[in-house]
Each structure stands twice: as C-alpha cells, then as structure tokens.
Amino acid sequence: MEKLLEQPIVKKLAAAEECVWINPALADAKTALAAIPYGKADVKDAADRLLRFAPYIREVFPETEENGGLIESPLTEISNFAAWLRGEMPETLPGRLFLKRDSDLQAAGSVKARGGIYEVLKHAETLAMEEGLLSREENYTKLLSPECKAFFKQHEVAVGSTGNLGLSIGIMSAALGFRVTVHMSADAKQWKKDLLRSKGVTVMEYAGDYSEAVRQGRAISDADPMSYFVDDENSVDLFMGYAVAAERLDAQFAAQGIVVDAEHPLFVTIPCGVGGAPGGITFGLKLLYGDNVHVFYAEPTQCPCMLLGLASGKNSDISVQDIGLHGRTHADGLAVGRPSGFVGSVVKELLAGEYTVEDYRLYDLMRALLDTESIFIEPSACAGIIAPAMLGGSADMQAYIAEKGLAPHMENAVHVLWATGGRLVPEEMRQEYVNTHLK
Ligand SMILES: *Cc1c(COP(=O)(O)O)cnc(C)c1O
C-alpha cells in the first residue's frame, strides 16, 4: 500500500483532488475485443430478447408506445449548454455536444432501465419457459395472464442497490408479479425507498455502504432456493442489457445524419459507479465503432473506485477506503467504494480514460443545464456533462489527441454526454437540488 500511494495518480486520488487519467493500457479495439470472452452475438441475443418483450412492455409501460415497446431515450444536441461551458471553461474541446437522455428512460427513469430491466425480463423468460408457460414464438403479452403472475409470485427477485438499480429491478419485478426485496445502502434516498414500498417492494436498509448492502442481500437471497439475486458486481446479463444501448445510439446517429469514422471521432462520457452501466455501454460502443470511439468515465473525487482499480492494477482488490477516502458523495448513484471486478477486467483495455469531479460542480452543472436547455438531470448524472472541459484542460488528454492523430479532426468531433438519471426525482427534491450550493 505504501508503494501504491507513491504513484502520482493514486496520490491525487487519495488527496481527493480532481484529476484526469489517460489509460496507459488502452489497446487497439480489435486486439482488446479479441481477448474478451464475449462478443457481438451476446449483444444481439440481448437485443433480440428485448424485441420479443416489446409487446409486453408496451402494455405494462404505455409511455413506451411511441417506441413500439422499446425502452429508449432521446439524443439531444445541447448547443446552448455547450456555449455556456465554453464561456466558463475556454479550454473545452471543440466539437458538437449531445446529451444521451437516459435520465428520461421510461419505466425506471435512469440508465438502470437498460440493464436492470433486461436482467429481470431474461430471468422471467427463463422461468416461464422452464415451466412450459411461454415459448419464443408466442406473443409475450401472455405474461400478463393471472396464471403467469401467480407463477412468478412463488419466486423472489432480490438486489443490493444505492437506489436506481433497486428502482428498476423493483418496478419491473413487481409488474411481472415477483416478490421483490431491495437491499439499500445508507446513501439511498428516502424517496426511492418510499416509491418502492408503494409498489409492494420490501426495502431493507443498511447503515453501511453499497458493498455491504450487496453482501448482506446476496447472503439472504442465496439461502432461499426460490430467490434470484441480481448481482450488480458480476452480472453478465446486466452488462449485455446495457450494451444494447450502442446499436440504439447508432440508429439515432443515422437518423440525425451523424457520421462516426476516423475523420469524425466520437467521444462518450459516462458517470461510473460499480461499473456495470458504463462498462456495458463501452463494450457495445467498441464493438460498433472500434478505435473511432473514445470512452471516458466520470467519478466523484470521493468515490473513484473504477479509476483506482484500473490505475493501480488491483481491479476489485482495492477500495477507496484503502487509500483513506471516506467515500461519501452527493452523487448517490456513484457512491460505490469498490468496483466490479468483472467489468474492470472487460474494460481495462477498452477505456480511454477517466476524470474525477468535486461534488459542488454537480449542482452548478445541473443549474446550467436547466437554465440553458430546460433539461433536468439528477446530481450523479451531472458528473459526465463537464467532460469536454475537464478533458480539454488536461495536458495528458492533449497528448492523447496528438498521439491518436485526432488533432486535425477535433472540429468534427461529436461528444455524447450520458445523462444517467432524473425522470423519477420528485418535484420537491428537484427544488432542493436546484437550491443546493456547496461552494
Ligand atoms: C447506477 C448509476 C450510474 C452508474 O452505473 P454503475 O453501473 O453503477 O456504474 C450512473 N448514474 C446514475 C444516475 C446511476 O444511477
């Protein structure tokens, strides 16, 4: 540990200083992807499954009607916000800024509506098929029948969560008829617990952090043969549900006439907690765009768990507490002290880099986005929307741009800032957030 703390990047993380880190292990996409035991077929399997469920989803979540039963969010260019950001931080990278608004995803109001809902659907499909209640060729609205619901009632779905994963798993499982238990960490917001309880979900609360809630939840669930634990730290299903986002984004690019190639680089920034959502999206994007997409994660200065795991090479064998951070942050969705070891091992050669942000910026950015674009997103989601400025101000990032031969193409760059949550935040909470000034 002493030696580790001598590494300049770890020193900065331990001091809770904002920093930009370029991943020295980034490999060319072909080589990196070849070393990963998953591929396009796995993502396609997930995408196909979501298509089979579309008629059912349309019935249960009528707000997905216009998307034909697919849970999907808009891609919106945010030029007014870009102008504001450039005014505040002139070092902001050139290019167009787009917001991928998973903050408005139907059903669960956050990026977790991708992976979380997908995993519950896959589990339900597996159980129903084993029971002879469903076949692939049937219309999945059959799952609305009292017979299917009564069957699912015999089974439990459980999950450990900082909040949003619990919402997505809870809402979807309850709709199918499952019994649901959500194990919440101390950081989870009260309104999220209240909302879940109103849907008949059992909410267990723990004084410890996210890892503790997962540990306890997993132990209780594992002791019950009728209980299925959604394991955010290791789940391949969650990961593939998230990965489908890439092809959906690609279709939106096509519709808006946006090209991604060597002369039109794509920069994507995603706020990172345990890593499942950003990891899955990264995997999907690299499969589609290879070396033409540059993916970065954003983490709070108090919870840079993925950055620490990757930069130290220790992956999930190190936590932010090990380097003396307390790990508390206003970014509740990112309040994770130890990263997913599975995700770390998949993205270690795919990720371009990361940066960390102080909490006070989240509220300033939230207000700026609201003022300039009339779009509300929650504090955790704001960590990613400052990316072009944070990265632009870094000498290491300038070196990355030069080394990759991107300098002549930066004017053509497209920056996608992944807005990861917000839709379900109650009005009074929005007001409270908007009025929060930490600096
Ligand atoms: C969960 C979450 C993330 C990050 O996802 P992980 O899978 O935990 O890395 C980002 N933003 C919000 C709002 C979230 O709820």
Side-chain angles (χ1 to χ4, degrees):
M1 198 56 66
E2 297 292 291
K3 256 227 157 78
L4 201 62
L5 285 168
E6 284 166 23
Q7 282 184 31
I9 181 71
V10 179
K11 222 181 228 172
K12 272 194 195 169
L13 294 178
E17 272 176 43
E18 287 188 335
C19 55
V20 172
W21 172 75
I22 299 298
N23 181 10
L26 173 67
D28 71 277
K30 237 195 188 131
T31 310
L33 288 168
I36 297 168
Y38 305 98
K40 279 195 169 145
D42 300 291
V43 184
K44 184 173 184 306
D45 180 56
D48 288 349
R49 183 165 290 103
L50 289 170
L51 279 176
R52 291 199 292 278
F53 269 99
Y56 169 81
I57 292 291
R58 184 163 36 193
E59 290 297 319
V60 182
F61 304 111
E63 65 267 35
T64 62
E65 175 80 45
E66 60 185 290
N67 285 337
L70 293 185
I71 294 172
E72 194 45 71
S73 73
L75 176 71
T76 305
E77 182 158 20
I78 45 171
S79 358
N80 296 327
F81 176 80
W84 174 85
L85 193 60
R86 294 201 162 98
E88 293 286 309
M89 300 171 85
E91 62 273 29
T92 298
L93 295 171
R96 296 165 73 185
L97 268 56
F98 289 81
L99 196 67
K100 180 57 182 154
R101 296 168 67 183
D102 280 6
S103 41
D104 282 323
L105 273 180
Q106 305 87 352
S110 80
V111 68
K112 306 295 193 309
R114 297 185 182 278
I117 286 184
Y118 172 73
E119 176 152 358
V120 173
L121 294 177
K122 183 174 178 198
H123 178 59
E125 183 190 56
T126 305
L127 287 178
M129 284 181 177
E130 280 170 6
E131 187 70 10
L133 288 170
L134 184 71
S135 72
R136 271 189 188 218
E137 293 68 36
E138 275 178 298
N139 186 320
Y140 278 31
T141 52
K142 196 178 172 198
L143 297 172
L144 294 163
S145 69
E147 188 193 6
C148 287
K149 283 199 169 174
F151 169 67
F152 289 135
K153 195 103 235 144
Q154 301 165 20
H155 294 263
E156 185 196 57
V157 176
V159 68
S161 172
T162 60
N164 283 339
L165 183 64
L167 282 182
S168 92
I169 301 290
I171 289 170
M172 190 67 250
S173 304
L176 280 155
F178 286 111
R179 288 179 285 119
V180 202
T181 302
V182 175
H183 301 268
M184 288 284 206
S185 61
D187 305 280
K189 302 282 186 216
Q190 189 58 44
W191 68 266
K192 294 182 181 174
K193 300 176 200 166
D194 295 343
L195 178 63
L196 282 172
R197 289 190 172 118
S198 78
K199 297 193 180 286
V201 172
T202 303
V203 178
M204 308 273 281
E205 301 178 55
Y206 298 92
D209 75 350
Y210 163 82
S211 308
E212 183 61 16
V214 170
R215 199 182 60 76
Q216 302 237 25
R218 187 190 283 131
I220 296 171
S221 177
D222 285 355
D224 177 357
M226 296 301 272
S227 180
Y228 176 84
F229 190 72
V230 176
D231 188 345
D232 199 14
E233 289 173 335
N234 299 293
S235 171
V236 177
D237 288 339
L238 267 180
F239 189 86
M240 292 305 161
Y242 289 124
V244 174
E247 63 177 49
R248 305 272 184 87
L249 179 69
D250 190 55
Q252 290 178 321
F253 279 163
Q256 297 191 33
I258 296 164
V259 174
V260 179
D261 61 22
E263 280 82 46
H264 300 81
L266 170 62
F267 293 82
V268 178
T269 305
I270 316 161
C272 181
V274 73
I281 296 169
T282 304
F283 182 62
L285 287 169
K286 292 304 268 190
L287 282 171
L288 269 186
Y289 299 123
D291 295 324
N292 298 325
V293 64
H294 309 271
V295 185
F296 293 85
Y297 296 165
E299 293 186 281
T301 48
Q302 275 297 335
C303 273
C305 68
M306 186 60 75
L307 206 175
L308 178 63
L310 292 173
S312 67
K314 290 192 169 297
N315 201 359
S316 57
D317 291 334
I318 191 167
S319 77
V320 300
Q321 284 79 13
D322 291 339
I323 59 166
L325 295 170
H326 58 64
R328 288 185 301 276
T329 167
H330 285 248
D332 56 325
L334 314 179
V336 179
R338 189 184 297 277
S340 157
F342 159 63
V343 172
S345 69
V346 173
V347 302
K348 65 179 197 258
E349 297 182 341
L350 295 176
L351 189 65
E354 289 213 27
Y355 65 86
T356 58
V357 277
E358 284 193 46
D359 281 9
Y360 79 90
R361 288 194 196 271
L362 306 177
Y363 297 100
D364 294 348
L365 290 161
M366 173 187 300
R367 277 184 285 274
L369 188 65
L370 200 53
D371 289 347
T372 57
E373 303 284 349
S374 302
I375 296 174
F376 171 84
I377 64 176
E378 65 185 83
S380 304
C382 295
I385 64 175
I386 196 176
M390 294 298 281
L391 297 173
S394 151
D396 291 346
M397 181 64 187
Q398 296 302 340
Y400 176 94
I401 289 171
E403 188 208 316
K404 304 277 177 218
L406 295 171
H409 311 304
M410 287 307 290
E411 291 296 333
N412 302 331
V414 163
H415 302 272
V416 171
L417 312 174
W418 218 281
T420 44
R423 181 183 177 120
L424 297 184
V425 178
E427 186 51 39
E428 62 274 18
M429 282 303 302
R430 292 183 187 208
Q431 283 313 317
E432 194 180 314
Y433 288 153
V434 167
N435 293 324
T436 301
H437 295 263
L438 299 183
K439 216 174 201 173

